[in-house]
Amino acid sequence: MLASVSRGNSTRYTAPKSYTGESYGSFLSRHKIISAEDAARVVMDGDTVATSGFVGVGFPEELAVALERCFAEAGSPKDLTLVYAAGQGDGKARGLNHFAAEGMVKRVIGG
């Protein structure tokens, strides 16, 4: 059984039932390792997402895939600000290409 934790007007993050008494912030601060899918649910419309890595090394590929999937299925998160320091991906189907869907990213700050 899962319990929803609200943030603002939308409910996106779902915590395990055993954490229903905890607030959104305390769940994440105590449990720093979460799945890519759970991490993607934390990202809200208009948030800023910063990624690390160079080409294919050190890039959070599974998180990018999970964010892409969330956007494709629910249209959210949208209007993101994407921050990165160097080219990340293979120029085809990996890396920053997961943020290429129209409406997903509003602004890009990159090197």
Side-chain angles (χ1 to χ4, degrees):
M1 183 61 142
L2 297 174
S4 296
V5 178
S6 297
R7 176 177 171 185
N9 291 334
S10 64
T11 301
R12 291 280 316 279
Y13 185 74
T14 305
K17 184 178 180 184
S18 59
Y19 299 112
T20 52
E22 298 178 10
S23 70
Y24 165 84
S26 66
F27 176 78
L28 290 180
S29 66
R30 286 190 210 160
H31 306 282
K32 298 184 191 271
I33 299 175
I34 60 176
S35 70
E37 291 77 19
D38 285 346
R41 288 187 200 114
V42 174
V43 180
M44 299 287 128
D45 293 344
D47 278 356
T48 298
V49 176
T51 61
S52 62
F54 181 71
V55 188
V57 179
F59 181 78
E61 187 73 25
E62 295 209 19
L63 176 58
V65 168
L67 285 166
E68 179 183 38
R69 188 177 307 118
C70 283
F71 184 77
E73 292 173 0
S76 183
K78 63 183 179 184
D79 297 331
L80 299 174
T81 297
L82 176 62
V83 180
Y84 66 94
Q88 300 166 354
D90 63 0
K92 297 174 187 164
R94 295 183 51 116
L96 296 175
N97 295 309
H98 295 293
F99 294 92
E102 186 173 339
M104 187 175 182
V105 175
K106 183 175 182 176
R107 101 182 28 90
V108 176
I109 304 168

XYZ file of all heavy atoms in Angstrom:
811
model
N 0.834 -1.174 0.000
C 0.000 0.000 0.000
C 0.877 1.235 0.000
O 1.862 1.307 0.696
C -0.885 -0.024 1.248
C -1.848 1.110 1.334
S -2.931 1.039 -0.069
C -4.446 1.499 0.581
N 0.501 2.237 -0.807
C 1.246 3.480 -0.882
C 0.398 4.617 -0.357
O -0.821 4.573 -0.410
C 1.649 3.760 -2.326
C 2.578 2.739 -2.968
C 2.759 3.066 -4.438
C 3.908 2.696 -2.266
N 1.074 5.632 0.139
C 0.373 6.816 0.619
C 0.908 8.028 -0.123
O 2.104 8.152 -0.322
C 0.588 6.986 2.109
N 0.045 8.917 -0.552
C 0.479 10.096 -1.301
C 0.908 11.201 -0.360
O 0.334 11.391 0.703
C -0.659 10.607 -2.174
O -0.979 9.646 -3.139
N 1.912 11.936 -0.779
C 2.378 13.105 -0.056
C 2.209 14.281 -0.990
O 2.685 14.245 -2.121
C 3.857 12.945 0.364
C 4.345 14.187 1.063
C 4.009 11.730 1.262
N 1.510 15.315 -0.569
C 1.218 16.450 -1.435
C 2.307 17.504 -1.373
O 2.961 17.676 -0.359
C -0.103 17.101 -1.028
O -1.147 16.208 -1.205
N 2.454 18.200 -2.478
C 3.353 19.348 -2.558
C 2.608 20.388 -3.360
O 2.350 20.204 -4.539
C 4.643 18.950 -3.260
C 5.595 20.109 -3.464
C 6.878 19.619 -4.092
N 7.696 20.738 -4.480
C 8.818 20.618 -5.127
N 9.258 19.429 -5.458
N 9.511 21.666 -5.448
N 2.224 21.478 -2.736
C 1.450 22.493 -3.434
C 0.066 21.977 -3.745
O -0.559 21.291 -2.943
N -0.414 22.271 -4.952
C -1.749 21.847 -5.364
C -1.764 20.483 -6.032
O -2.811 19.974 -6.364
C -2.345 22.873 -6.335
C -2.656 24.166 -5.637
O -2.887 24.178 -4.433
N -2.634 25.258 -6.365
N -0.598 19.904 -6.262
C -0.579 18.625 -6.950
C -0.010 17.532 -6.064
O 0.774 17.794 -5.169
C 0.252 18.724 -8.230
O 1.590 19.011 -7.909
N -0.432 16.331 -6.314
C 0.082 15.170 -5.600
C 0.874 14.359 -6.593
O 0.319 13.820 -7.531
C -1.065 14.332 -5.014
O -1.811 15.158 -4.138
C -0.528 13.130 -4.270
N 2.183 14.308 -6.427
C 3.016 13.598 -7.380
C 3.895 12.560 -6.704
O 4.225 11.568 -7.279
C 3.937 14.578 -8.126
C 3.239 15.502 -9.063
C 2.900 14.841 -10.377
N 3.949 14.043 -10.939
C 4.978 14.470 -11.626
N 5.141 15.733 -11.850
N 5.874 13.633 -12.097
N 4.338 12.819 -5.484
C 5.278 11.910 -4.840
C 4.518 10.904 -4.003
O 3.638 11.268 -3.240
C 6.277 12.664 -3.962
C 7.302 11.728 -3.417
C 8.299 11.235 -4.241
C 7.228 11.248 -2.131
C 9.216 10.323 -3.787
C 8.135 10.338 -1.660
C 9.130 9.885 -2.496
O 10.025 8.962 -2.038
N 4.819 9.649 -4.146
C 4.145 8.607 -3.389
C 5.155 7.915 -2.493
O 6.118 7.330 -2.967
C 3.501 7.579 -4.335
O 2.639 8.284 -5.224
C 2.696 6.572 -3.550
N 4.942 8.023 -1.202
C 5.845 7.416 -0.227
C 5.277 6.082 0.241
O 4.067 5.869 0.209
C 6.009 8.343 0.975
N 6.136 5.174 0.680
C 5.634 3.922 1.239
C 4.717 4.175 2.425
O 4.879 5.159 3.141
C 6.913 3.201 1.685
C 7.996 3.826 0.891
C 7.584 5.251 0.675
N 3.737 3.301 2.645
C 2.755 3.482 3.710
C 3.416 3.670 5.078
O 2.933 4.421 5.909
C 1.804 2.296 3.750
C 0.696 2.460 4.764
C -0.257 1.293 4.742
C -1.334 1.508 5.776
N -2.220 0.377 5.866
N 4.548 3.012 5.300
C 5.199 3.117 6.606
C 5.678 4.533 6.901
O 6.007 4.848 8.034
C 6.381 2.151 6.686
O 7.318 2.435 5.674
N 5.691 5.432 5.906
C 6.155 6.801 6.118
C 5.014 7.815 6.088
O 5.247 9.000 5.958
C 7.202 7.169 5.065
C 8.409 6.281 5.124
C 8.678 5.399 4.097
C 9.242 6.289 6.228
C 9.762 4.554 4.155
C 10.330 5.451 6.292
C 10.590 4.581 5.258
O 11.662 3.749 5.324
N 3.775 7.366 6.214
C 2.647 8.282 6.091
C 2.642 9.367 7.156
O 2.109 10.434 6.915
C 1.299 7.535 6.158
O 1.284 6.718 7.317
C 1.076 6.725 4.910
N 3.239 9.133 8.292
C 3.263 10.154 9.337
C 4.332 11.196 9.126
O 4.362 12.216 9.801
N 5.214 11.001 8.183
C 6.305 11.931 7.956
C 5.943 12.920 6.862
O 5.152 12.638 5.988
C 7.567 11.169 7.539
C 8.045 10.223 8.606
C 9.269 9.443 8.156
O 9.838 9.765 7.119
O 9.629 8.519 8.870
N 6.552 14.071 6.912
C 6.318 15.059 5.867
C 7.180 14.747 4.649
O 8.119 13.967 4.715
C 6.664 16.456 6.383
O 8.067 16.570 6.556
N 6.856 15.359 3.544
C 7.582 15.187 2.286
C 9.089 15.367 2.488
O 9.880 14.546 2.098
C 7.016 16.209 1.295
C 7.826 16.460 0.072
C 7.711 15.626 -1.017
C 8.688 17.546 0.001
C 8.436 15.855 -2.160
C 9.410 17.786 -1.136
C 9.284 16.943 -2.211
O 10.000 17.179 -3.336
N 9.500 16.454 3.135
C 10.922 16.742 3.316
C 11.625 15.758 4.215
O 12.743 15.341 3.933
N 10.996 15.354 5.300
C 11.680 14.447 6.214
C 11.862 13.069 5.599
O 12.833 12.400 5.884
C 10.938 14.336 7.547
O 9.686 13.723 7.377
N 10.949 12.650 4.724
C 11.113 11.358 4.054
C 12.373 11.372 3.202
O 13.187 10.474 3.258
C 9.897 11.026 3.189
C 10.083 9.740 2.412
C 9.927 8.523 3.049
C 10.445 9.754 1.085
C 10.115 7.331 2.358
C 10.632 8.580 0.381
C 10.468 7.370 1.028
N 12.556 12.427 2.417
C 13.714 12.486 1.536
C 15.009 12.700 2.302
O 16.041 12.183 1.919
C 13.535 13.583 0.499
C 12.468 13.301 -0.541
C 12.376 14.468 -1.510
C 12.747 12.029 -1.286
N 14.977 13.460 3.398
C 16.218 13.710 4.117
C 16.703 12.478 4.864
O 17.892 12.322 5.082
C 16.052 14.890 5.079
O 15.134 14.561 6.095
N 15.819 11.580 5.249
C 16.223 10.363 5.949
C 16.561 9.226 4.997
O 17.306 8.341 5.332
C 15.110 9.897 6.876
C 14.983 10.755 8.084
C 14.037 10.106 9.048
N 13.400 11.168 9.788
C 12.293 11.047 10.435
N 11.651 9.905 10.444
N 11.786 12.045 11.092
N 15.965 9.232 3.838
C 16.111 8.131 2.895
C 16.696 8.688 1.606
O 15.970 9.032 0.688
C 14.757 7.458 2.658
C 14.119 7.047 3.938
N 14.498 5.924 4.616
C 13.174 7.644 4.693
C 13.787 5.825 5.731
N 12.989 6.864 5.800
N 18.001 8.773 1.533
C 18.665 9.449 0.427
C 18.768 8.608 -0.833
O 19.027 9.127 -1.893
C 20.032 9.920 0.872
C 19.922 10.925 2.010
C 21.248 11.465 2.401
C 21.153 12.230 3.669
N 20.859 13.575 3.616
N 18.593 7.313 -0.723
C 18.646 6.469 -1.907
C 17.221 6.076 -2.272
O 16.545 5.390 -1.518
C 19.503 5.218 -1.665
C 20.937 5.640 -1.335
C 19.460 4.306 -2.886
C 21.832 4.501 -0.956
N 16.770 6.573 -3.432
C 15.427 6.257 -3.917
C 15.549 5.868 -5.386
O 16.555 6.154 -6.039
C 14.440 7.431 -3.722
C 14.904 8.680 -4.465
C 14.238 7.722 -2.250
C 13.923 9.835 -4.394
N 14.544 5.246 -5.913
C 14.575 4.812 -7.313
C 14.493 6.026 -8.242
O 14.058 7.114 -7.852
C 13.406 3.871 -7.588
O 12.188 4.603 -7.567
N 14.883 5.817 -9.491
C 14.786 6.881 -10.496
C 13.331 7.307 -10.678
O 13.035 8.495 -10.830
C 15.375 6.403 -11.819
N 12.412 6.353 -10.627
C 10.991 6.673 -10.776
C 10.498 7.546 -9.630
O 9.758 8.498 -9.839
C 10.151 5.389 -10.857
C 10.359 4.605 -12.127
C 11.653 3.796 -12.151
O 12.243 3.529 -11.064
O 12.103 3.448 -13.245
N 10.908 7.220 -8.394
C 10.517 8.039 -7.249
C 11.138 9.431 -7.341
O 10.485 10.426 -7.032
C 10.931 7.376 -5.934
C 10.038 6.209 -5.561
O 8.940 6.070 -6.157
O 10.424 5.428 -4.673
N 12.389 9.507 -7.762
C 13.050 10.806 -7.912
C 12.347 11.644 -8.974
O 12.167 12.850 -8.801
C 14.517 10.601 -8.263
N 11.928 11.035 -10.061
C 11.232 11.762 -11.127
C 9.910 12.328 -10.624
O 9.497 13.406 -11.043
C 11.002 10.851 -12.330
N 9.244 11.628 -9.722
C 7.960 12.109 -9.181
C 8.132 13.332 -8.289
O 7.178 14.060 -8.043
C 7.268 10.996 -8.396
C 6.713 9.922 -9.282
C 5.893 8.921 -8.476
N 5.780 7.699 -9.224
C 6.311 6.540 -8.882
N 6.976 6.420 -7.760
N 6.161 5.486 -9.644
N 9.329 13.564 -7.800
C 9.595 14.726 -6.950
C 9.705 16.002 -7.791
O 9.419 17.088 -7.314
C 10.887 14.499 -6.126
C 11.275 15.737 -5.347
C 10.708 13.317 -5.186
N 10.071 15.875 -9.044
C 10.260 17.026 -9.919
C 8.903 17.567 -10.350
O 8.083 16.842 -10.905
C 11.120 16.655 -11.153
C 11.300 17.866 -12.061
C 12.468 16.105 -10.711
N 8.676 18.857 -10.087
C 7.403 19.510 -10.393
C 7.538 20.415 -11.616
O 8.642 20.804 -11.999
C 6.965 20.381 -9.206
C 6.735 19.626 -7.928
S 5.222 18.673 -8.053
C 5.832 17.085 -7.588
N 6.422 20.797 -12.186
C 6.397 21.757 -13.288
C 7.159 23.011 -12.880
O 6.971 23.524 -11.776
C 4.965 22.146 -13.639
C 4.160 21.000 -14.222
O 4.733 19.986 -14.641
O 2.919 21.153 -14.253
N 8.021 23.499 -13.762
C 8.756 24.733 -13.507
C 10.022 24.569 -12.674
O 10.734 25.541 -12.464
N 10.326 23.374 -12.210
C 11.536 23.149 -11.402
C 12.791 23.276 -12.253
O 12.748 23.228 -13.478
C 11.526 21.753 -10.774
C 10.702 21.678 -9.499
O 10.191 22.726 -9.044
O 10.572 20.569 -8.959
N 13.922 23.414 -11.578
C 15.231 23.423 -12.221
C 15.886 22.070 -11.999
O 15.928 21.573 -10.875
C 16.120 24.536 -11.639
O 15.502 25.797 -11.907
C 17.513 24.512 -12.247
N 16.381 21.486 -13.080
C 17.064 20.191 -13.025
C 18.499 20.413 -13.492
O 18.725 20.920 -14.584
C 16.374 19.152 -13.938
C 17.151 17.853 -13.949
C 14.934 18.922 -13.497
N 19.464 20.063 -12.647
C 20.880 20.164 -13.009
C 21.434 18.757 -13.154
O 21.187 17.899 -12.315
C 21.647 20.931 -11.943
N 22.174 18.524 -14.242
C 22.746 17.205 -14.477
C 24.264 17.288 -14.503
O 24.842 18.333 -14.783
C 22.248 16.603 -15.800
O 22.633 17.446 -16.877
C 20.746 16.426 -15.788
N 24.886 16.172 -14.226
C 26.344 16.083 -14.222
C 26.792 15.169 -15.341
O 25.979 14.568 -16.029
C 26.814 15.528 -12.874
O 26.290 14.217 -12.693
N 28.084 15.062 -15.489
C 28.632 14.118 -16.455
C 29.183 14.786 -17.686
O 29.045 15.995 -17.893
N 29.847 13.976 -18.500
C 30.412 14.437 -19.766
C 30.258 13.306 -20.770
O 30.677 12.176 -20.508
C 31.890 14.812 -19.591
C 32.514 15.311 -20.852
C 32.171 16.548 -21.362
C 33.427 14.545 -21.538
C 32.732 17.019 -22.534
C 34.005 15.001 -22.714
C 33.659 16.241 -23.212
N 29.636 13.603 -21.884
C 29.271 12.631 -22.909
C 28.398 11.564 -22.233
O 27.305 11.879 -21.813
C 30.505 12.064 -23.644
C 30.066 11.206 -24.814
C 31.406 13.197 -24.129
N 28.848 10.327 -22.074
C 28.028 9.295 -21.448
C 28.489 8.907 -20.059
O 27.930 8.002 -19.448
N 29.500 9.570 -19.537
C 30.068 9.197 -18.241
C 29.515 10.100 -17.137
O 29.586 11.325 -17.227
C 31.612 9.305 -18.277
C 32.200 8.938 -16.936
C 32.180 8.433 -19.368
N 28.958 9.489 -16.115
C 28.487 10.242 -14.956
C 27.131 10.900 -15.129
O 26.683 11.621 -14.249
N 26.462 10.689 -16.247
C 25.139 11.276 -16.478
C 24.070 10.389 -15.847
O 24.118 9.168 -15.976
C 24.871 11.401 -17.992
C 23.543 12.011 -18.308
C 23.354 13.373 -18.208
C 22.470 11.225 -18.675
C 22.116 13.942 -18.485
C 21.232 11.774 -18.955
C 21.054 13.148 -18.854
N 23.082 10.984 -15.160
C 22.016 10.181 -14.534
C 21.000 9.682 -15.566
O 19.858 10.142 -15.623
C 21.396 11.162 -13.539
C 21.611 12.500 -14.167
C 22.943 12.408 -14.867
N 21.411 8.745 -16.389
C 20.604 8.254 -17.513
C 19.239 7.721 -17.064
O 18.216 8.037 -17.677
C 21.374 7.161 -18.262
C 20.713 6.687 -19.535
C 20.804 7.691 -20.672
O 21.725 8.522 -20.678
O 19.927 7.637 -21.547
N 19.214 6.926 -16.011
C 17.935 6.336 -15.578
C 16.969 7.399 -15.077
O 15.760 7.301 -15.297
C 18.182 5.265 -14.530
C 18.944 4.098 -15.126
C 18.648 2.786 -14.447
O 17.608 2.679 -13.768
O 19.447 1.874 -14.618
N 17.478 8.432 -14.429
C 16.619 9.526 -13.985
C 16.077 10.285 -15.193
O 14.883 10.621 -15.235
C 17.378 10.471 -13.054
C 16.604 11.711 -12.606
C 15.311 11.323 -11.895
C 17.476 12.574 -11.726
N 16.919 10.547 -16.177
C 16.461 11.239 -17.386
C 15.385 10.428 -18.109
O 14.390 10.980 -18.582
C 17.646 11.515 -18.307
N 15.561 9.122 -18.180
C 14.568 8.241 -18.804
C 13.254 8.302 -18.013
O 12.171 8.387 -18.599
C 15.095 6.797 -18.897
C 13.984 5.824 -19.275
C 16.237 6.712 -19.886
N 13.338 8.276 -16.684
C 12.138 8.322 -15.842
C 11.414 9.660 -16.007
O 10.177 9.702 -16.079
C 12.500 8.075 -14.383
N 12.146 10.759 -16.094
C 11.525 12.068 -16.310
C 10.856 12.128 -17.680
O 9.738 12.625 -17.815
C 12.564 13.179 -16.187
C 13.013 13.508 -14.767
C 14.264 14.364 -14.780
C 11.891 14.201 -14.007
N 11.533 11.596 -18.685
C 10.963 11.553 -20.032
C 9.664 10.738 -20.034
O 8.661 11.139 -20.641
C 11.985 10.939 -20.981
C 11.515 10.809 -22.408
C 12.547 10.133 -23.292
O 13.231 9.192 -22.839
O 12.663 10.554 -24.447
N 9.666 9.604 -19.343
C 8.484 8.745 -19.276
C 7.330 9.465 -18.567
O 6.180 9.427 -19.033
C 8.819 7.443 -18.550
C 7.710 6.420 -18.608
C 8.071 5.098 -17.935
N 9.330 4.545 -18.429
C 10.425 4.339 -17.678
N 10.411 4.619 -16.400
N 11.507 3.836 -18.202
N 7.622 10.130 -17.456
C 6.584 10.886 -16.731
C 5.961 11.941 -17.636
O 4.741 12.100 -17.667
C 7.166 11.560 -15.490
S 7.444 10.471 -14.099
N 6.805 12.662 -18.365
C 6.291 13.701 -19.250
C 5.446 13.110 -20.374
O 4.375 13.629 -20.700
C 7.446 14.533 -19.833
C 6.964 15.667 -20.682
C 6.459 16.823 -20.104
C 6.993 15.576 -22.063
C 5.986 17.868 -20.890
C 6.527 16.605 -22.863
C 6.027 17.760 -22.269
N 5.898 12.008 -20.942
C 5.152 11.371 -22.036
C 3.796 10.847 -21.567
O 2.811 10.936 -22.286
C 5.978 10.233 -22.632
N 3.752 10.330 -20.351
C 2.511 9.737 -19.843
C 1.544 10.755 -19.255
O 0.335 10.607 -19.383
C 2.849 8.689 -18.783
C 3.540 7.460 -19.352
C 4.031 6.496 -18.283
O 3.849 6.770 -17.071
O 4.624 5.462 -18.656
N 2.072 11.779 -18.576
C 1.193 12.693 -17.848
C 1.329 14.156 -18.255
O 0.618 15.009 -17.729
C 1.468 12.561 -16.343
N 2.288 14.460 -19.145
C 2.496 15.857 -19.534
C 3.178 16.677 -18.457
O 3.158 17.908 -18.488
N 3.777 16.007 -17.510
C 4.436 16.670 -16.390
C 5.607 15.799 -15.937
O 5.510 14.573 -16.002
C 3.432 16.847 -15.251
O 3.997 17.546 -14.175
N 6.717 16.387 -15.541
C 6.968 17.803 -15.328
C 7.211 18.547 -16.647
O 7.803 18.012 -17.571
C 8.236 17.813 -14.471
C 8.966 16.585 -14.848
C 7.900 15.572 -15.177
N 6.726 19.778 -16.693
C 6.885 20.599 -17.891
C 7.528 21.929 -17.504
O 7.667 22.245 -16.323
C 5.539 20.839 -18.564
C 4.568 21.621 -17.706
C 3.240 21.764 -18.388
C 2.310 22.539 -17.444
N 0.979 22.643 -17.961
N 7.922 22.683 -18.505
C 8.526 24.008 -18.317
C 9.729 23.976 -17.377
O 9.924 24.876 -16.570
C 7.483 25.010 -17.814
C 6.364 25.228 -18.804
O 6.610 25.088 -20.023
O 5.239 25.530 -18.383
N 10.538 22.939 -17.502
C 11.725 22.806 -16.655
C 12.824 23.753 -17.109
O 12.903 24.133 -18.278
C 12.268 21.377 -16.722
C 11.338 20.269 -16.244
C 11.968 18.905 -16.506
C 11.016 20.442 -14.768
N 13.700 24.114 -16.179
C 14.956 24.765 -16.502
C 16.012 23.687 -16.376
O 16.128 23.043 -15.335
C 15.257 25.926 -15.536
O 14.246 26.927 -15.688
C 16.629 26.530 -15.812
N 16.768 23.463 -17.445
C 17.796 22.427 -17.483
C 19.160 23.095 -17.396
O 19.474 23.985 -18.189
C 17.675 21.621 -18.773
C 18.712 20.550 -19.031
C 18.672 19.469 -17.937
C 18.492 19.924 -20.400
N 19.970 22.677 -16.422
C 21.307 23.224 -16.225
C 22.322 22.100 -16.380
O 22.184 21.048 -15.754
C 21.453 23.861 -14.815
C 22.855 24.423 -14.622
C 20.400 24.931 -14.586
N 23.325 22.321 -17.229
C 24.385 21.330 -17.405
C 25.674 22.052 -17.779
O 25.659 23.167 -18.288
C 24.008 20.288 -18.466
C 23.895 20.841 -19.861
C 24.984 20.794 -20.730
C 22.710 21.412 -20.304
C 24.883 21.307 -22.006
C 22.609 21.911 -21.579
C 23.690 21.866 -22.430
O 23.594 22.380 -23.687
N 26.820 21.407 -17.525
C 28.109 22.046 -17.759
C 28.754 21.656 -19.080
O 29.537 22.417 -19.620
C 29.061 21.722 -16.605
N 28.473 20.498 -19.583
C 29.115 20.032 -20.813
C 28.172 19.096 -21.551
O 27.189 18.630 -20.985
C 30.420 19.304 -20.482
N 28.482 18.814 -22.818
C 27.652 17.922 -23.612
C 27.485 16.564 -22.953
O 28.456 15.947 -22.537
N 26.249 16.119 -22.826
C 25.952 14.862 -22.137
C 25.066 14.001 -23.019
O 23.940 14.368 -23.302
C 25.261 15.148 -20.801
C 26.134 15.987 -19.894
C 25.379 16.559 -18.726
O 24.180 16.439 -18.612
N 26.097 17.199 -17.835
N 25.585 12.866 -23.444
C 24.811 11.950 -24.266
C 25.555 11.566 -25.521
O 26.717 11.908 -25.713
N 24.861 10.879 -26.398
C 25.485 10.400 -27.630
C 24.996 11.151 -28.871
O 25.324 10.791 -29.990
C 25.242 8.896 -27.798
C 23.778 8.538 -27.933
O 22.917 9.448 -27.900
O 23.475 7.340 -28.051
N 24.184 12.184 -28.670
C 23.658 12.932 -29.807
C 22.547 12.212 -30.545
O 22.105 12.658 -31.594
N 22.099 11.093 -30.008
C 21.047 10.314 -30.656
C 19.897 10.040 -29.685
O 18.867 10.683 -29.748
C 21.619 9.004 -31.195
C 22.663 9.215 -32.263
C 23.312 7.927 -32.658
C 24.470 8.219 -33.610
N 25.372 7.114 -33.749
N 20.093 9.068 -28.789
C 18.987 8.644 -27.924
C 19.339 8.636 -26.442
O 18.556 8.177 -25.633
C 18.528 7.246 -28.338
N 20.506 9.120 -26.093
C 20.928 9.088 -24.687
C 21.188 10.504 -24.182
O 21.234 11.454 -24.937
C 22.189 8.243 -24.549
C 21.957 6.776 -24.900
C 23.214 5.970 -24.685
N 23.743 6.218 -23.356
C 23.853 5.305 -22.398
N 23.501 4.076 -22.643
N 24.328 5.606 -21.226
N 21.365 10.607 -22.863
C 21.736 11.881 -22.255
C 20.644 12.927 -22.320
O 19.468 12.654 -22.083
N 21.045 14.145 -22.663
C 20.114 15.278 -22.675
C 19.001 15.123 -23.702
O 17.996 15.834 -23.633
C 20.887 16.576 -22.926
C 21.890 16.951 -21.835
C 22.680 18.191 -22.247
C 21.203 17.183 -20.501
N 19.138 14.183 -24.617
C 18.079 13.938 -25.600
C 16.762 13.537 -24.940
O 15.700 13.701 -25.528
C 18.516 12.862 -26.596
C 19.684 13.333 -27.424
O 19.645 14.409 -27.999
N 20.736 12.537 -27.463
N 16.813 13.036 -23.719
C 15.591 12.654 -23.006
C 14.747 13.873 -22.623
O 13.590 13.730 -22.244
C 15.917 11.834 -21.757
C 16.552 10.521 -22.068
N 15.887 9.498 -22.719
C 17.812 10.066 -21.851
C 16.698 8.466 -22.867
N 17.873 8.785 -22.360
N 15.328 15.065 -22.717
C 14.614 16.297 -22.378
C 14.108 17.016 -23.630
O 13.721 18.179 -23.568
C 15.536 17.239 -21.588
C 15.917 16.708 -20.236
C 17.077 15.965 -20.073
C 15.123 16.946 -19.127
C 17.446 15.464 -18.836
C 15.478 16.445 -17.885
C 16.632 15.707 -17.734
N 14.111 16.349 -24.783
C 13.829 16.997 -26.060
C 12.344 17.139 -26.408
O 12.015 17.824 -27.360
C 14.539 16.249 -27.187
N 11.456 16.530 -25.652
C 10.028 16.624 -25.991
C 9.556 18.061 -25.871
O 9.898 18.777 -24.918
C 9.212 15.727 -25.063
N 8.784 18.493 -26.856
C 8.283 19.870 -26.867
C 7.466 20.146 -25.600
O 6.556 19.392 -25.245
C 7.431 20.102 -28.094
C 7.007 21.551 -28.251
C 6.305 21.831 -29.563
O 6.480 21.052 -30.512
O 5.548 22.807 -29.603
N 7.822 21.238 -24.911
C 7.110 21.651 -23.705
C 7.734 21.145 -22.411
O 7.412 21.631 -21.337
N 8.610 20.184 -22.506
C 9.226 19.652 -21.288
C 10.209 20.642 -20.675
O 10.252 20.802 -19.459
C 9.936 18.323 -21.578
C 10.455 17.627 -20.351
S 11.148 16.017 -20.791
C 11.618 15.417 -19.194
N 10.995 21.310 -21.511
C 12.003 22.262 -21.042
C 11.658 23.649 -21.532
O 11.380 23.852 -22.726
C 13.409 21.851 -21.511
C 14.440 22.894 -21.131
C 13.791 20.494 -20.920
N 11.682 24.603 -20.618
C 11.399 25.995 -20.962
C 12.675 26.774 -21.253
O 12.722 27.625 -22.123
C 10.637 26.665 -19.822
C 10.221 28.089 -20.086
C 9.388 28.622 -18.956
C 8.926 30.034 -19.246
N 8.041 30.520 -18.187
N 13.734 26.487 -20.455
C 14.994 27.196 -20.652
C 16.152 26.255 -20.376
O 16.033 25.337 -19.582
C 15.015 28.459 -19.799
C 15.748 28.465 -18.544
C 15.673 29.757 -17.720
N 14.502 30.582 -17.851
C 13.390 30.466 -17.098
N 13.303 29.537 -16.190
N 12.375 31.271 -17.281
N 17.267 26.504 -21.072
C 18.465 25.703 -20.929
C 19.635 26.615 -20.597
O 19.833 27.637 -21.248
C 18.782 24.911 -22.224
C 20.083 24.150 -22.096
C 17.637 23.978 -22.563
N 20.388 26.238 -19.577
C 21.616 26.937 -19.215
C 22.712 25.890 -19.291
O 22.738 24.954 -18.478
C 21.531 27.530 -17.792
C 20.312 28.457 -17.694
C 22.834 28.226 -17.421
C 19.971 28.872 -16.280
N 23.558 25.985 -20.305
C 24.534 24.927 -20.498
C 25.836 25.407 -21.079
O 25.951 26.521 -21.570
N 26.824 24.501 -21.019
C 28.156 24.827 -21.517
C 28.456 24.098 -22.793
O 27.695 23.393 -23.373
